[in-house]
Amino acid sequence: MKQKLLILISALIIPFIILSCKSSVNEPDYLDDAILSSLIESDDAILNFDENFDDGDATSFLVGKVQTDLYPIKVGRRITKMERTFDRQVVGDSAKVTVTTKFTGYLIIAGKFNPINPGDTSYLPDTIITKPFVETVKRNVTFIRTSSRNDRNRGWKLQAISLPEGSTSVKNIQITKIEALVPGKDPLVITSPLDTYFFVGDPNKDLPSRKRNDEVTLKVYLTSNSPKEDFVTLTYGRKIAGQTYKIKRKLNLVSSVQVGDKWEKVYQGGWNIFVVHPLGRFHSVINAVTNETIFSVEGNVSSSTWGIPYKVN
């Protein structure tokens, strides 16, 4: 009789324990991947980084060189796959999430094997080189949970975003510092992207604010394994309603100093907010690839990427 009673009690208790455990794992306020994706992909700045990382095709640069395997005329990235994963730390009503995005695609280089004169727009490429690559970009994002928890995101909202930092597995080049200089304003100096945060909606800590016709000077500091000039670009703006308000610019080498077996270099160029730049939240992409990546047929893709979100009002 006692044995039957024990079996009956166990049959009643065990399902309750299982249901209790399941409930604690899938609690109503849990910050799951679906909510994270919804919040992140609804932020215009983060979304614009993904858009600007993908050139879709090669862009004209006219960067002809001598003593090289290939004379590039157009260079660009075409992304074929994007995978995002989340590493979260949730404490009460706040959370810090490291967002890792893996971009898979091809670097497209259109050029000629015969020498060309830089700046001569009459040249047309007769050779197209495609180089497969995978670049992994990380960004930290913080979230807070509000008292209203009846929406589809269970009360969670995006609080702050860090700057992104990415690279390929081949690390022959590395961005180390970025400066954005605007006349009459304090310079924006970035040395650690993942530790640099902008707080959404905070007037004192929100994205850097720019106005149309602002003239910004961008300086990119990097370390390279090659003494040759690397290929450093700035992409910003956006395509809206079929219209292209997007610019990709090549930065110029202004300094190169050998330190040990590496070269510390500085590149500089204009980041001007053109007069028809749309209003809103955006994200620049600052990318550096080695000389061998662009000017050699056989060279693997070695890339380093940072970026700066900004708003135009």
Side-chain angles (χ1 to χ4, degrees), residues 240-304:
I240 299 178
Q243 298 294 318
T244 301
Y245 304 98
K246 178 177 174 179
I247 290 178
K248 184 169 185 175
R249 287 180 172 163
K250 179 178 176 290
L251 305 185
N252 299 315
L253 176 65
V254 296
S255 173
S256 179
V257 178
Q258 184 174 2
V259 179
D261 60 349
K262 299 183 183 296
W263 282 261
E264 295 182 355
K265 305 175 185 178
V266 181
Y267 290 82
Q268 181 173 308
W271 178 5
N272 300 333
I273 308 302
F274 45 94
V275 69
V276 294
H277 194 300
L279 304 179
R281 296 165 61 86
F282 304 89
H283 207 306
S284 67
V285 173
I286 300 159
N287 177 250
V289 297
T290 58
N291 182 282
E292 289 76 13
T293 297
I294 301 296
F295 298 102
S296 170
V297 174
E298 301 298 332
N300 292 324
V301 176
S302 180
S303 169
S304 177

Side-chain angles (χ1 to χ4, degrees), residues 9 12 42 53 79 89 121 137 163 191 210 216 236 263 276-277 288 295 302 312:
I9 293 173
L12 293 173
S42 65
F53 192 84
I79 303 303
Q89 298 175 349
T121 59
V137 178
L163 271 61
T191 57
R210 302 288 181 253
V216 184
Y236 64 102
W263 282 261
V276 294
H277 194 300
F295 298 102
S302 180
V312 178

Side-chain angles (χ1 to χ4, degrees), residues 26-46:
N26 296 310
E27 59 179 280
D29 296 329
Y30 184 66
L31 185 60
D32 59 26
D33 285 3
I35 293 177
L36 286 172
S37 295
S38 172
L39 290 169
I40 287 172
E41 292 172 6
S42 65
D43 184 87
D44 286 343
I46 296 178

Side-chain angles (χ1 to χ4, degrees), residues 20-310:
S20 297
C21 293
K22 185 176 181 181
S23 175
S24 65
V25 172
N26 296 310
E27 59 179 280
D29 296 329
Y30 184 66
L31 185 60
D32 59 26
D33 285 3
I35 293 177
L36 286 172
S37 295
S38 172
L39 290 169
I40 287 172
E41 292 172 6
S42 65
D43 184 87
D44 286 343
I46 296 178
L47 184 63
N48 190 220
F49 177 88
D50 296 340
E51 295 170 344
N52 284 339
F53 192 84
D54 183 4
D55 298 315
D57 207 341
T59 304
S60 296
F61 284 106
L62 295 167
V63 288
K65 285 282 186 180
V66 295
Q67 297 178 343
T68 184
D69 294 343
L70 181 67
Y71 297 84
I73 298 174
K74 296 182 177 182
V75 180
R77 288 184 300 265
R78 179 181 296 162
I79 303 303
T80 58
K81 186 178 182 181
M82 188 179 74
E83 302 170 276
R84 217 186 306 268
T85 57
F86 308 105
D87 182 12
R88 77 211 80 199
Q89 298 175 349
V90 182
V91 179
D93 290 338
S94 63
K96 177 182 178 181
V97 180
T98 298
V99 183
T100 302
T101 306
K102 185 169 76 172
F103 295 94
T104 302
Y106 294 91
L107 182 68
I108 304 170
I109 307 166
K112 299 174 71 70
F113 286 107
N114 297 321
I116 64 176
N117 296 319
D120 189 338
T121 59
S122 65
Y123 288 103
L124 295 176
D126 56 23
T127 301
I128 296 178
I129 305 296
T130 58
K131 297 185 177 185
F133 76 93
V134 175
E135 184 156 355
T136 301
V137 178
K138 291 183 179 292
R139 182 199 299 272
N140 291 326
V141 184
T142 64
F143 300 87
I144 56 174
R145 189 167 54 189
T146 64
S147 57
S148 175
R149 303 182 182 181
N150 296 323
D151 61 6
R152 64 175 184 173
N153 294 322
R154 301 173 189 162
W156 288 100
K157 70 175 185 178
L158 192 149
Q159 179 191 37
I161 62 174
S162 80
L163 271 61
E165 181 176 14
S167 67
T168 54
S169 59
V170 180
K171 302 180 186 296
N172 292 331
I173 192 168
Q174 180 62 56
I175 298 173
T176 57
K177 184 171 75 169
I178 288 176
E179 294 179 352
L181 310 174
V182 183
K185 295 185 178 181
D186 293 335
L188 176 63
V189 180
I190 308 297
T191 57
S192 180
L194 296 177
D195 295 318
T196 303
Y197 288 85
F198 294 114
F199 288 76
V200 178
D202 187 321
N204 298 316
K205 300 179 182 179
D206 203 351
L207 306 184
S209 180
R210 302 288 181 253
K211 295 186 180 299
R212 289 169 173 168
N213 287 327
D214 271 359
E215 295 185 359
V216 184
T217 299
L218 184 71
K219 299 179 74 172
V220 178
Y221 299 75
L222 59 81
T223 299
S224 174
N225 287 5
S226 172
K228 299 178 181 179
E229 182 177 353
D230 307 293
F231 189 71
V232 183
T233 58
L234 163 70
T235 306
Y236 64 102
R238 168 178 281 145
K239 289 185 177 180
I240 299 178
Q243 298 294 318
T244 301
Y245 304 98
K246 178 177 174 179
I247 290 178
K248 184 169 185 175
R249 287 180 172 163
K250 179 178 176 290
L251 305 185
N252 299 315
L253 176 65
V254 296
S255 173
S256 179
V257 178
Q258 184 174 2
V259 179
D261 60 349
K262 299 183 183 296
W263 282 261
E264 295 182 355
K265 305 175 185 178
V266 181
Y267 290 82
Q268 181 173 308
W271 178 5
N272 300 333
I273 308 302
F274 45 94
V275 69
V276 294
H277 194 300
L279 304 179
R281 296 165 61 86
F282 304 89
H283 207 306
S284 67
V285 173
I286 300 159
N287 177 250
V289 297
T290 58
N291 182 282
E292 289 76 13
T293 297
I294 301 296
F295 298 102
S296 170
V297 174
E298 301 298 332
N300 292 324
V301 176
S302 180
S303 169
S304 177
T305 301
W306 288 14
I308 300 176
Y310 65 101

